[in-house]
Amino acid sequence: LGMALGDSYNPKEEENGGRIVLELALDCLYHATTLTPCDARLYNNIGLLLEKIASSFSGENQHHLYMEKTNIHQAYQTSIKLHQSYQTYGKCADVTHDYDGTCLNYALFLSYQDDFEGAVQILSNLFPSNNDGDNGVGEGGGYDGSSSDAGTRIREDAFRLFMFCQQQVDLASL
């Protein structure tokens, strides 16, 4: 319900309570975390929704905007930690694509803040460097645009963002 409400948000309806819909959606997601506190997908969705809320404050109330950005960091970091604990402590349903998606979403948020180093750090979890040149995406990226494999698409997008952010970091160090 929380994400459905969030998806129904229309910025053009701001005067008609558009932000209230986002806050109601956020309340639904926070309530869901009390019922299933170890669901990393919930925290990823909270991060996405908080980004929508933060973008609705463009220029107004800088303190509130700062708090939303802090909450965004916390939501994505919680999701990533939960995903990593799934991999470390137990076998459960395959959550690799969810983890990849969370890393991509968080890195996108960081890159929008011009925190390219932070984005590279997050995405390096997906693309550890190794000596054989394998970036984990496959030859030529492995995604030709025609595949409906969401996991491959997420990895491709994440790798492109990783390369872009790494380039920004390299340029800044010149």
Side-chain angles (χ1 to χ4, degrees):
L1 177 61
M3 286 311 291
L5 285 169
D7 290 342
S8 71
Y9 170 71
N10 182 350
K12 294 177 184 174
E13 297 176 3
E14 193 62 41
E15 297 99 31
N16 299 327
R19 193 178 299 161
I20 292 171
V21 171
L22 290 178
E23 291 174 5
L24 178 61
L26 187 61
D27 287 344
C28 289
L29 290 175
Y30 278 132
H31 178 69
T33 64
T34 65
L35 302 173
T36 54
C38 293
D39 187 346
R41 294 170 299 181
L42 280 174
Y43 293 97
N44 180 51
N45 289 338
I46 288 170
L48 291 169
L49 194 54
L50 285 169
E51 284 190 67
K52 272 188 184 180
I53 292 171
S55 70
S56 74
F57 284 102
S58 59
E60 64 183 70
N61 196 342
Q62 290 300 311
H63 175 71
H64 190 77
L65 183 61
Y66 171 79
M67 293 307 296
E68 291 301 336
K69 287 182 179 179
T70 300
N71 292 337
I72 293 167
H73 284 285
Q74 290 172 343
Y76 284 133
Q77 289 168 356
T78 299
S79 181
I80 288 171
K81 285 178 186 175
L82 285 170
H83 278 299
Q84 290 170 339
S85 71
Y86 298 160
Q87 296 168 355
T88 303
Y89 295 113
K91 297 185 187 260
C92 60
D94 183 19
V95 293
T96 303
H97 299 315
D98 294 331
Y99 176 69
D100 295 351
T102 297
C103 289
L104 175 59
N105 291 336
Y106 190 25
L108 280 167
F109 169 73
L110 293 171
S111 70
Y112 293 150
Q113 309 303 309
D114 293 333
D115 182 1
F116 299 112
E117 288 182 29
V120 166
Q121 182 180 359
I122 294 299
L123 292 171
S124 66
N125 293 324
L126 302 180
F127 307 108
S129 60
N130 57 31
N131 294 330
D132 64 6
D134 181 16
N135 60 26
V137 191
E139 189 66 37
Y143 179 66
D144 63 5
S146 63
S147 172
S148 63
D149 180 18
T152 302
R153 184 176 40 82
I154 289 169
R155 298 279 296 179
E156 266 294 306
D157 291 346
F159 186 69
R160 283 190 205 105
L161 181 61
F162 177 74
M163 296 304 290
F164 172 78
C165 291
Q166 185 63 58
Q167 183 180 35
Q168 298 305 309
V169 169
D170 292 346
L171 288 172
S173 66
L174 293 178

